[in-house]
Amino acid sequence: MERKRRTNLVHGGTRRSQWGEVSEAIYLTQGFVYDSAEAAEARFLKAEPGEFIYARYGNPTVAMFEERMAMLEGAEDGFACASGMAAVNGALTSMLRAGDHVVSARALFGSCLYVLEEVLTRYGVEVTFVDGTDLDQWRAALRPDTKAVFFESMANPTLELVDIAAVAELAHGVGAKVIVDNVFSTPVYSRAIAQGADLVVYSTTKHVDGQGRCLGGVILGPREHIRGVVEPYMKHTGGSMSPFNAWVMLKGLETLELRVRAQTEGAEAIATALSGHPALRRVIYPGLDSHPQHALAMRQLGAGGTMLALDLEGGKPAAFRFLNALQIVLISNNLGDARSIITHPATTTHQRLSPEIRAQLGIGDGLVRLSVGIEDPEDLVADLSAALDVALEAAA
Ligand SMILES: *Cc1c(COP(=O)(O)O)cnc(C)c1O
């Protein structure tokens, strides 16, 4: 019987040792012992699934995490990475070579932008940036030599969506692979592979750990590509996940869906309660009817997600007054955590961008990004409303 997602989140991929432990073991070992010299020779010739050589290549705890993540995403296989950026870099670099062409959405997490703009181009890959929400720009940028397209399905911090199915259809028309960074959509709401993504990448630092402890990432996709293209690159270049972190991520997966659904409920409550507050120009939340891509969000994710953005009247001074008045919500730059976390992108995560580029991406000085945690939504609404009142009063 095919098991459902919530069952797989708890049991998927578990392999027990001879001790029959309930909670997955942490195999904190970099190497493995062979019964004989012949056995070592055979394993180096070809390691079957469940056979290990060296932790950079694979490890039992990491393999459990990879299998559980692949089940969750509906992918054939996955490779776990040391961080989300190791996954983004690995997914791209493992399949590209000098002379290849890549099309990427422009609205990217800063480090993703660095990989595309600085790293790939340094090695002779040509990269064209487009407005990810504009299908005409994708159409115009794609060429017969385009090997890959890359985008964040929901962009940080403005929560603009890229239509995975539509971009995939265009990209596949020229034979390009579609690589989706799906962090903001979360693995719970992701249907990226069904919608045409070839590879899906997560920073598992975010919702999968969800408790602010470890860095991690994963690349998910067809087995042939993961084992034939991604694994050789990752295992030889050193970006593999540590067994300890894989164990933390396995623990995170057990409660992932419960947390993400509670976070989404909180985000919906906050978006609804704060809409129309006089301190705000806009509440940006894909779950609201007022979001310009609400219909796409419902089709692509079926939910508004766990993130929202608030655009305050009065620019940076108002945004800072608001942040400094918060009592429960923490000022930090992680996201997907059980704790609600808020950040001012223009002065932190997107500080390096020029004001022109920030304006182009919709990152104004009054914009704050809120990652909703699992606290009681009533407490969060009260905290945020009171802090907005402070921002407003001080301005008056
Ligand atoms: C955080 C993040 C990353 C990078 O993940 P790390 O685990 O911090 O390396 C990549 N893409 C997106 C969209 C992110 O939010």
Side-chain angles (χ1 to χ4, degrees):
M1 191 184 72
E2 181 89 353
R3 292 180 175 183
K4 301 235 178 348
R5 187 174 54 201
R6 272 175 59 175
T7 307
N8 288 334
L9 278 170
V10 177
H11 295 285
T14 300
R15 267 172 257 164
R16 297 198 160 84
S17 77
Q18 73 272 32
W19 308 112
E21 65 280 352
V22 170
S23 177
E24 300 79 0
I26 312 178
Y27 291 94
L28 211 52
T29 178
Q30 38 67 11
F32 300 85
V33 176
Y34 313 98
D35 290 338
S36 64
E38 289 78 8
E41 182 185 28
R43 194 163 307 175
F44 268 79
L45 191 64
K46 186 174 184 349
E48 298 297 335
E51 293 183 344
F52 300 97
I53 293 171
Y54 191 61
R56 182 152 39 72
Y57 294 20
N59 167 285
T61 311
V62 177
M64 287 192 258
F65 170 67
E66 289 170 342
E67 191 174 334
R68 196 172 294 176
M69 275 307 306
M71 281 173 136
L72 172 60
E73 191 66 30
E76 281 178 11
D77 213 338
F79 194 92
C81 308
S83 66
M85 283 322 303
V88 169
N89 183 61
L92 288 162
T93 314
S94 63
M95 63 165 288
L96 295 170
R97 61 190 65 245
D100 286 347
H101 178 239
V102 173
V103 183
S104 171
R106 189 178 292 114
L108 293 178
F109 180 71
S111 302
C112 294
L113 185 64
Y114 178 83
V115 169
L116 283 140
E117 206 171 31
E118 307 284 336
V119 180
L120 292 181
T121 52
R122 196 186 296 167
Y123 294 98
V125 175
E126 191 189 339
V127 183
T128 306
F129 289 99
V130 297
D131 174 348
T133 64
D134 184 347
L135 289 177
D136 288 335
Q137 290 195 23
W138 285 104
R139 207 174 277 118
L142 287 162
R143 312 191 311 221
D145 61 338
T146 306
K147 287 295 182 321
V149 306
F150 179 81
F151 58 89
E152 292 169 17
S153 56
M154 197 194 285
N156 174 22
T158 51
L159 310 183
E160 283 182 348
L161 277 80
V162 175
D163 187 334
I164 298 175
V167 173
E169 195 184 326
L170 293 173
H172 290 156
V174 299
K177 284 222 173 2
V178 177
I179 307 174
V180 179
D181 180 335
N182 221 16
V183 165
F184 277 54
S185 301
T186 85
V188 170
Y189 299 127
S190 173
R191 304 165 192 166
I193 287 180
Q195 286 158 343
D198 296 294
L199 296 176
V200 181
V201 175
Y202 288 104
S203 162
T204 64
T205 313
K206 312 293 165 56
H207 299 83
V208 172
D209 175 3
Q211 288 148 89
R213 301 166 295 197
C214 288
L215 292 174
V218 68
I219 307 168
L220 301 159
R223 177 152 301 132
E224 203 183 306
H225 187 89
I226 295 293
R227 295 299 151 198
V229 177
V230 171
E231 182 191 297
Y233 178 85
M234 293 305 301
K235 78 181 187 185
H236 293 306
T237 57
S240 307
M241 180 178 273
S242 90
F244 180 80
N245 287 10
W247 179 82
V248 172
M249 298 299 167
L250 281 165
K251 298 295 99 185
L253 283 177
E254 289 177 5
T255 58
L256 175 71
E257 180 152 347
L258 304 181
R259 284 184 285 106
V260 165
R261 292 207 182 274
Q263 289 170 277
T264 303
E265 230 173 81
E268 284 166 0
I270 291 166
T272 307
L274 299 189
S275 285
H277 192 287
L280 293 174
R281 291 221 301 247
R282 268 187 317 161
V283 173
I284 304 172
Y285 182 61
L288 287 178
D289 289 340
S290 62
H291 191 282
Q293 295 169 301
H294 176 66
L296 174 59
M298 290 302 122
R299 186 162 68 200
Q300 194 153 291
L301 291 88
T306 67
M307 305 290 300
L308 48 97
L310 305 173
D311 195 2
L312 279 90
E313 299 278 6
K316 178 180 162 184
F320 274 30
R321 281 197 302 273
F322 169 56
L323 261 59
N324 291 336
L326 291 163
Q327 303 290 317
I328 297 172
V329 178
L330 305 174
I331 303 172
S332 184
N333 40 266
N334 190 24
L335 62 97
D337 198 281
R339 299 153 195 78
S340 291
I341 285 175
I342 201 157
T343 187
H344 183 247
T347 53
T348 59
T349 53
H350 294 69
Q351 190 191 100
R352 280 193 313 128
L353 300 181
S354 69
E356 295 73 40
I357 297 279
R358 278 204 297 272
Q360 202 182 347
L361 295 175
I363 306 170
D365 288 345
L367 192 82
V368 298
R369 183 192 80 186
L370 174 63
S371 169
V372 180
I374 61 173
E375 302 97 334
D376 192 303
E378 274 185 40
D379 286 341
L380 294 176
V381 168
D383 191 31
L384 292 158
S385 304
L388 283 176
D389 292 344
V390 170
L392 200 60
E393 275 161 28

